[in-house]
Amino acid sequence: MLTFSKGGTHPQEFKEQTSGLAIEEMPIPDELEIVLGQHIGAPCTPTVARREDVEEAGLIGEVKKGLGVPLHSPVTGKVKAIGMSAHPMRVSVPSITVSVNHEAEPKKYELQDYQGLSGKELLKKVHDAGIIGVGGAGFPTHVKLSPPPNSPVDVLLLNGAECEPYITSDHRQMLEHAEGVVEGAKIILKILGITECHIGIEANKPDAIQVMNEAAEAASSGDCSIRVRTLQVKYPQGSEKQLIEAITGRKVPSMALPSAVGVVVQNVSTAKAIYDAVAYGKPLYEKVVTIAGKGIHRQANLLVKVGTKIKDIVDYLGGLEPGLTKIIMGGPMMGFAVSSLDIPITKTSSAILFLREDEIDTRPHSQCIRCGWCLDACPMGLEPKEIGIYVEANRAEDTEPFGVFDCFECGSCAYVCPAKRPLVQFIRLAKMKAKRT
């Protein structure tokens, strides 16, 4: 089976908690807090004022300068406040709070004829719908689908690996919306002006592989080739550079983009969002989120409106369980521990984990024993142990020779470390200090 050549780990999967649970639409809470900066780039500027009425899918924020995409209201209601919301990384961020009008009829979307649209017209629809990479990075999709002229692209990869433990939201999207994912791939191919697409799925999702295979075969024609590729179960198989190497054999140079080797990578759920935007005119304002762990009364794959708070999800699923020790937004390898239930869901939220003590390792870390396990595990061939030692010695600005800026913080080093050293946190600190010098 296909995989990348260097490093990687095999953490316990825990996907059985939610992999068999169909996507469930959560009732809309009374209030949403919609973060203005949900993407990489400049945050949105509000286009609405306090006490103003808003409609579902109506524009509420736009980026006037710089990299970004517009923001849409997930509901019909009234702007309660333009203020700040809790955030897992930045403590607090600007947001728009909307009080929901539960009496309003949900917006209905009808299939539109988009087959005759040019690539440029399709790309504009992607931008206008506020599509970003929903797999976690949040990069504006219309920019990713506009590679520089000096880097011609010939291959599209759809990322269905979903290699993080616990998370099954992409798995369910592929099972329940295979045709939408594949149609999204065809739209992307037309925008890029290419014909070759590969969909990478880890071997631990045989049902998704079968369903996606059938959809891909039905959609393939003389104009485009869409093929499902089975990947070895190994973390971080879903990382962009590792996925590219596994499927195409091409290696992206240090600090370069995938387009440098003729590849564009999109998440399968992003492809589905592109299909919804182009075929139905539906902006991106709701997200499938995996809720897992023993610390929540009921696990689920929920379709929630962007801006829904964690506490509303907890209430809907029956509350917290005794022994809850840690709440993580995202997966256990790359997610962020949070201390508040007031944090709202964004377009990039993939999971919320409620973990009890028997699901996590709470032992304190100790000194590096120079075993070299982190070097073996690093998929980028870096030296995490040296970065950690330099950070502890207050020399974070000297870590660039060890490849600190090539690290994408997958957590493989910290996972295998027998001393339980917080290597990812060391690396984040090193990047921050090195950038200041």
Side-chain angles (χ1 to χ4, degrees), residues 17-40:
Q17 291 187 14
T18 56
S19 60
L21 301 177
I23 296 171
E24 173 184 348
E25 188 169 354
M26 177 180 159
I28 304 170
D30 294 334
E31 193 174 279
L32 300 178
E33 287 188 11
I34 306 151
V35 173
L36 286 166
Q38 304 205 17
H39 52 263
I40 290 175

Side-chain angles (χ1 to χ4, degrees), residues 271-436:
K272 169 63 166 55
I274 288 172
Y275 171 68
D276 289 341
V278 170
Y280 292 94
K282 181 179 181 180
L284 177 58
Y285 56 71
E286 54 190 15
K287 187 74 169 61
V288 178
V289 182
T290 296
I291 313 298
K294 298 178 183 176
I296 188 84
H297 181 71
R298 179 166 74 87
Q299 291 85 30
N301 285 302
L302 291 182
L303 179 65
V304 302
K305 301 293 186 183
V306 167
T308 302
K309 291 183 182 179
I310 296 177
K311 67 180 181 182
D312 292 316
I313 293 173
V314 169
D315 291 343
Y316 174 66
L317 293 176
L320 301 174
E321 292 292 291
L324 174 68
T325 304
K326 185 172 286 190
I327 301 173
I328 298 174
M329 287 200 78
M333 302 294 283
M334 294 186 72
F336 291 82
V338 299
S339 58
S340 170
L341 296 180
D342 287 325
I343 296 173
I345 296 295
T346 67
K347 296 178 184 181
T348 59
S349 300
S350 57
I352 308 171
L353 309 182
F354 298 86
L355 305 180
R356 296 199 309 204
E357 191 168 357
D358 60 339
E359 296 179 278
I360 60 176
D361 190 341
T362 56
R363 290 176 294 166
H365 78 273
S366 57
Q367 294 299 312
C368 174
I369 61 173
R370 295 187 178 271
C371 64
W373 287 10
C374 61
L375 278 71
D376 293 337
C378 179
M380 297 302 293
L382 310 181
E383 298 190 44
K385 68 178 182 64
E386 295 297 332
I387 297 171
I389 290 168
Y390 269 66
V391 169
E392 287 185 305
N394 202 28
R395 293 180 59 189
E397 63 278 3
D398 298 327
T399 57
E400 192 169 350
F402 302 114
V404 67
F405 289 112
D406 281 319
C407 172
F408 57 92
E409 302 170 18
C410 70
S412 294
C413 55
Y415 177 77
V416 301
C417 179
K420 298 300 166 192
R421 289 168 61 73
L423 292 169
V424 176
Q425 283 77 12
F426 286 149
I427 289 168
R428 285 176 183 150
L429 182 60
K431 285 180 181 179
M432 183 176 67
K433 290 193 173 183
K435 284 177 182 176
R436 291 176 181 170

Side-chain angles (χ1 to χ4, degrees), residues 210-328:
Q210 180 182 344
V211 170
M212 290 298 294
N213 247 324
E214 293 169 358
E217 287 176 8
S220 294
S221 64
D223 296 330
C224 69
S225 168
I226 302 176
R227 183 181 173 194
V228 173
R229 308 297 296 273
T230 302
L231 304 170
Q232 182 180 321
V233 179
K234 185 169 76 168
Y235 180 85
Q237 190 75 263
S239 169
E240 229 175 26
K241 292 185 177 181
Q242 281 61 44
L243 188 71
I244 291 169
E245 183 191 350
I247 294 179
T248 70
R250 305 174 190 179
K251 294 190 177 182
V252 181
S254 173
M255 306 299 288
L257 297 172
S259 59
V261 293
V263 179
V264 164
V265 182
Q266 291 288 354
N267 180 270
V268 291
S269 292
T270 306
K272 169 63 166 55
I274 288 172
Y275 171 68
D276 289 341
V278 170
Y280 292 94
K282 181 179 181 180
L284 177 58
Y285 56 71
E286 54 190 15
K287 187 74 169 61
V288 178
V289 182
T290 296
I291 313 298
K294 298 178 183 176
I296 188 84
H297 181 71
R298 179 166 74 87
Q299 291 85 30
N301 285 302
L302 291 182
L303 179 65
V304 302
K305 301 293 186 183
V306 167
T308 302
K309 291 183 182 179
I310 296 177
K311 67 180 181 182
D312 292 316
I313 293 173
V314 169
D315 291 343
Y316 174 66
L317 293 176
L320 301 174
E321 292 292 291
L324 174 68
T325 304
K326 185 172 286 190
I327 301 173
I328 298 174

Side-chain angles (χ1 to χ4, degrees), residues 61-140:
E62 62 181 357
V63 175
K64 295 180 179 178
K65 274 188 176 182
L67 186 72
V69 294
L71 187 65
H72 303 82
S73 176
V75 294
T76 297
K78 188 182 289 289
V79 176
K80 179 180 178 181
I82 297 177
M84 305 294 286
S85 288
H87 191 272
M89 290 177 285
R90 301 173 204 156
V91 184
S92 63
V93 289
S95 66
I96 298 173
T97 301
V98 176
S99 296
V100 178
N101 177 6
H102 291 287
E103 303 300 317
E105 286 288 321
K107 187 174 176 64
K108 291 182 171 61
Y109 292 95
E110 295 183 357
L111 186 63
Q112 304 171 3
D113 181 12
Y114 61 92
Q115 301 296 339
L117 297 179
S118 67
K120 196 177 226 181
E121 290 169 324
L122 294 172
L123 191 65
K124 185 177 186 305
K125 282 184 173 288
V126 170
H127 168 269
D128 292 348
I131 307 294
I132 62 173
V134 299
F139 196 82

